Amino acid sequence: MENLCPRFEKAMGLLSTRWVGLILFDLLKGTKRFSEMEADLPISGRLLSDRLKLLEKEGIVNRNIYSEFPVRIEYTLSDKGKDLAPVIKEIQCWADQYVTLEETTEQNV
């Protein structure tokens, strides 16, 4: 049981990193190009890039580069990332039930 706490804490820390949840939610829909994600999400390109690098380093996101002109880069969830689908969907269900629209527009203190 002692080994569970550090693993759980690591997982929660990663998933609670700002914007990671929304990026994963977006990638659950399928392969995306950087520009598509940038258009879909309310996040700067620089921060999106940083978060994608983090998720790639963690083995959750795959970055695929295609040698075309112009070069095409696509992002997909790895098997490890796809295994988060039930977790993310359950969080969405919980949020739908317990988080009000008013709470989503409140400023974080």
Side-chain angles (χ1 to χ4, degrees), residues 29-78:
K29 299 171 192 168
T31 300
K32 297 275 184 146
R33 295 174 93 167
F34 185 88
S35 58
E36 292 174 308
M37 286 188 287
E38 196 174 21
D40 290 346
L41 303 170
I43 180 175
S44 72
R46 182 176 173 206
L47 194 51
L48 177 59
S49 177
D50 287 347
R51 294 303 185 258
L52 287 168
K53 286 177 187 173
L54 169 68
L55 292 168
E56 186 180 2
K57 179 182 163 213
E58 293 290 337
I60 294 171
V61 167
N62 293 323
R63 181 175 183 249
N64 303 305
I65 303 169
Y66 298 93
S67 299
E68 302 173 350
F69 185 79
V71 172
R72 181 169 48 112
I73 300 172
E74 294 181 340
Y75 295 88
T76 58
L77 290 176
S78 65

Side-chain angles (χ1 to χ4, degrees), residues 5 11-12 17 30 38 42 61 91 98 101:
C5 291
M12 290 302 293
T17 301
E38 196 174 21
V61 167
I91 292 171
Y98 293 107
L101 287 177

